[in-house]
């Protein structure tokens, strides 16, 4: 059987020195895989509707400018939830009309900035609508404006990622007493309010529950339009949340399955009366990212082998702290980057952080690992190596996109360089070392003396 693109990339990362004793952890992104996922998403919805659809990538899943540019060129926009994410989307060249701002805590300045740019905004609360009233009255804007509602349809298997529960912090809770009537009136009072947004959750949420949440938003849009006597709500933002299979390389469920389910359960959604927005994130990127780490040491404790690697909580934070909800596969390669063929053994795969729970896998059957071998952690393209957790001031790894040619040749492109020690020190206030031990007046006097001396051309006085 021909080696997979991932196998070719692992071998090439060793051959080309991306992974080495000096750089013992690196992250890889399969650009062909990302493009394929973007195309699959676009095809899935085009197969069930002729209505305009903006697929906006949830930037939080992979806040990396080159990734956003790649998705933009594949026809995908951006869903942002902070000033930082908006800045990343703009740096990637994603235009305002293909950008959606969601967040439960937008400041007046954030809203003012979005409206000036023409970015679509989904208010998260009735209080935010009140804030928008004043901003809209102050001047014209090209921004489409909507309201996020919580259909309160229930939770999936991971409570922290279920956003349509009875007490979710997101959106206006539709089933609370009087809430639905209040939402309808809020639209009638604001002719500029033309969108409804909902999002039921992501990993751990079954497709049927996602579709139920979308159905509730659709029914509300119909109710608002009947009350208004016109098509006031013209766009439904149905969020994202397609779960990812972390158990194998199979990509399931698929966008096509979800689109067909929506067509069956909410047929009016696709009859052309509504523009649509989606906000998928993890499902576009997860399967196309892999962390590689060298095994630094091995040992045995309590009769169980342990492989100590350079990938742990700083990259796989959710897996380390909630392994039952976020299990990851571990693939073993030898020191030259070839699939490991050694005899299997039950072992732990540990990270470098200084606490006992920093484990990527516990009691996992793998070829017995040795120092210098390589472990690959697939399915990590979203929310893993792009969200560094600076435990022990461990360095952020370099991230590289890769492509493979027909002859098996692999070419790498830097997406984000590895963090340096100087950068760690700078981010930790390295230029302010005396800030807490010397009086401000003393430091200011010294700085002023330095400035005067430089003006006169002499050495600094101490």
């Amino acid at each position: 059987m021909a080696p997979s693109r991932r196998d070719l990339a692992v071998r090439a990362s060793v051959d080309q020195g991306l992974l080495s004793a000096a750089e013992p952890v690196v992250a890889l992104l399969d650009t062909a895989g990302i493009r394929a996922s973007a195309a699959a998403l676009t095809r899935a919805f085009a197969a069930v509707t002729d209505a305009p659809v903006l697929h906006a990538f949830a930037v939080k899943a992979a806040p990396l400018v080159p990734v956003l540019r790649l998705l933009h060129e594949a026809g995908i926009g951006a869903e942002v939830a902070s000033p930082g994410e908006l800045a990343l989307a703009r740096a990637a060249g994603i235009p305002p009309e293909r950008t959606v701002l969601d967040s439960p805590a937008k400041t007046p300045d954030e809203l003012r900035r979005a409206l000036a740019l023409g970015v679509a905004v989904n208010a998260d609360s009735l209080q935010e609508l009140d804030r928008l009233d004043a901003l809209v009255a102050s001047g014209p804007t090209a921004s489409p404006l909507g309201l996020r509602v919580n259909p309160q349809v229930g939770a999936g298997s991971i409570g922290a990622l279920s956003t349509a529960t009875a007490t979710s912090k997101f959106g206006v809770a539709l089933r609370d007493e009087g809430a639905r009537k209040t939402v309808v009136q809020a639209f009638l009072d604001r002719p500029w309010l033309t969108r409804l947004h909902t999002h039921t959750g992501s990993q751990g949420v079954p497709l049927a529950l996602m579709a139920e949440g979308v159905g509730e938003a659709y029914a509300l849009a119909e109710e608002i339009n009947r009350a208004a006597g016109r098509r006031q709500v013209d766009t439904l933002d149905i969020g994202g949340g397609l779960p990812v299979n972390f158990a194998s390389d199979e990509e399931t469920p698929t966008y096509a399955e979800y689109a067909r389910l929506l067509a069956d359960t909410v047929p009016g959604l696709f009859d052309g009366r509504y523009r649509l927005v989606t906000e998928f994130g993890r499902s576009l990127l997860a399967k196309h990212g892999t962390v590689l780490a060298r095994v630094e040491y091995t040992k045995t404790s309590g009769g169980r082998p342990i492989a100590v690697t350079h990938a742990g909580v700083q990259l796989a934070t959710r897996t380390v702290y909630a392994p039952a909800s976020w299990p990851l596969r571990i693939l073993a390669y030898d020191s030259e980057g070839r699939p490991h063929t050694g005899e299997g053994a039950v072992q732990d795969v540990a990270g470098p952080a200084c606490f006992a729970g920093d484990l990527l896998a516990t009691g996992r059957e793998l070829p017995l690992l040795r120092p210098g071998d390589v472990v690959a952690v697939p399915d990590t393209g979203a929310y893993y190596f792009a969200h560094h957790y600076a435990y022990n001031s461990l360095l952020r790894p370099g991230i590289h996109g890769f492509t493979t040619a027909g002859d098996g040749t692999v070419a790498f492109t830097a997406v984000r360089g590895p963090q340096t020690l100087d950068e760690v020190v700078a981010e930790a206030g390295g230029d302010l070392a005396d800030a807490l031990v010397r009086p401000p007046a003393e430091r200011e006097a010294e700085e002023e003396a330095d400035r005067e001396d430089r003006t006169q051309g002499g050495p600094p006085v101490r």
Side-chain angles (χ1 to χ4, degrees):
M1 186 174 67
S4 66
R5 290 198 303 265
R6 180 174 56 224
D7 287 345
L8 292 171
V10 175
R11 180 67 183 272
S13 70
V14 175
D15 289 345
Q16 298 181 33
L18 264 66
L19 186 71
S20 66
E23 295 289 344
V25 60
V26 69
L28 305 180
L29 283 167
D30 179 356
T31 57
I34 295 171
R35 287 194 180 95
S37 283
L41 172 57
T42 302
R43 283 196 309 270
F45 279 77
V48 295
T49 183
D50 294 326
V53 184
L54 169 62
H55 297 294
F57 173 68
V59 172
K60 57 184 170 287
L64 298 163
V65 172
V67 169
L68 303 182
R69 175 66 68 84
L70 175 65
L71 289 169
H72 171 51
E73 295 198 354
I76 307 297
E79 183 268 337
V80 302
S82 71
E85 289 185 357
L86 177 56
L88 295 176
R90 288 180 59 75
I94 300 173
E97 62 269 22
R98 296 187 63 77
T99 305
V100 180
L101 173 63
D102 298 319
S103 163
K106 306 179 199 73
T107 67
D109 283 347
E110 284 180 68
L111 291 171
R112 198 173 293 112
R113 167 82 165 153
L115 268 58
L117 289 171
V119 167
V121 176
N122 289 317
D124 194 75
S125 66
L126 297 173
Q127 289 179 3
E128 189 177 338
L129 280 185
D130 293 339
R131 186 171 284 177
L132 283 170
D133 284 336
L135 293 173
V136 169
S138 68
T141 177
S143 293
L145 301 173
L147 177 67
R148 178 169 181 170
V149 294
N150 171 13
Q152 294 175 296
V153 293
S157 62
I158 303 175
L161 296 188
S162 299
T163 56
T165 61
T167 57
S168 172
K169 73 176 187 179
F170 292 102
V172 179
L174 281 183
R175 296 183 182 179
D176 284 11
E177 185 176 356
R180 192 180 190 95
K181 181 179 179 180
T182 299
V183 167
V184 172
Q185 190 61 49
F187 273 79
L188 299 180
D189 292 342
R190 298 171 174 85
W192 44 263
L193 198 57
T194 61
R195 292 186 168 198
L196 272 176
H197 173 218
T198 192
H199 176 70
T200 300
S202 53
Q203 195 67 21
V205 176
L207 298 191
L209 190 63
M210 292 169 57
E212 184 180 352
V214 172
E216 291 290 325
Y218 168 78
L220 178 61
E222 296 281 276
E223 182 177 343
I224 291 168
N225 288 345
R226 285 194 300 271
R230 64 186 181 91
R231 194 165 65 92
Q232 177 173 343
V233 177
D234 60 20
T235 302
L236 289 170
D237 184 335
I238 64 173
L242 193 75
V244 169
N245 166 34
F246 286 95
S248 73
D249 283 336
E250 183 182 4
E251 295 189 36
T252 181
T254 66
Y255 295 120
E257 289 175 87
Y258 183 45
R260 287 194 298 268
L261 176 63
L262 288 173
D264 290 341
T265 58
V266 197
L269 185 69
F270 294 141
D271 65 10
R273 290 176 297 128
Y274 294 98
R275 296 183 180 90
L276 301 174
V277 178
T278 72
E279 300 177 354
F280 295 101
R282 179 181 292 105
S283 55
L284 279 166
L285 263 291
K287 304 299 286 186
H288 312 305
T290 304
V291 170
L292 304 183
R294 281 171 51 93
V295 176
E296 194 67 45
Y297 300 107
T298 58
K299 63 178 70 173
T300 299
S301 184
R304 179 180 292 172
I306 303 171
V308 181
T309 79
H310 291 273
V313 73
Q314 85 277 29
L315 305 179
T317 313
R318 286 176 170 175
T319 293
V320 168
Y321 286 127
S325 295
W326 298 101
L328 286 172
R329 292 181 289 152
I330 304 293
L331 307 177
Y333 294 81
D334 66 20
S335 60
E336 295 182 3
R338 299 171 301 194
H340 211 306
T341 58
E343 184 177 350
V346 175
Q347 56 201 294
D348 293 350
V349 180
C354 289
F355 72 98
D358 186 26
L359 298 165
L360 290 178
T362 303
R364 194 73 60 87
E365 176 83 24
L366 294 166
L368 186 62
L369 295 165
R370 299 177 177 82
D373 284 348
V374 176
V375 296
V377 191
D379 308 330
T380 48
Y383 293 103
Y384 280 89
F385 47 72
H387 293 71
H388 190 75
Y389 175 41
Y391 201 103
N392 285 147
S393 296
L394 292 163
L395 300 180
R396 290 192 297 268
I399 301 174
H400 300 265
F402 71 87
T403 57
T404 57
D407 62 358
T409 303
V410 179
F412 293 103
T413 303
V415 171
R416 186 186 71 194
Q419 189 180 31
T420 67
L421 292 175
D422 286 344
E423 289 170 336
V424 170
V425 173
E427 290 177 12
D431 60 339
L432 302 170
D434 290 338
L436 302 178
V437 296
R438 298 175 64 197
E442 179 182 329
R443 286 187 284 110
E444 290 170 5
E446 182 178 290
E447 290 167 2
E448 178 62 27
D450 284 350
R451 283 193 294 270
E452 291 179 0
D453 203 69
R454 283 194 296 272
T455 300
Q456 299 169 7
V461 178
R462 291 285 185 269

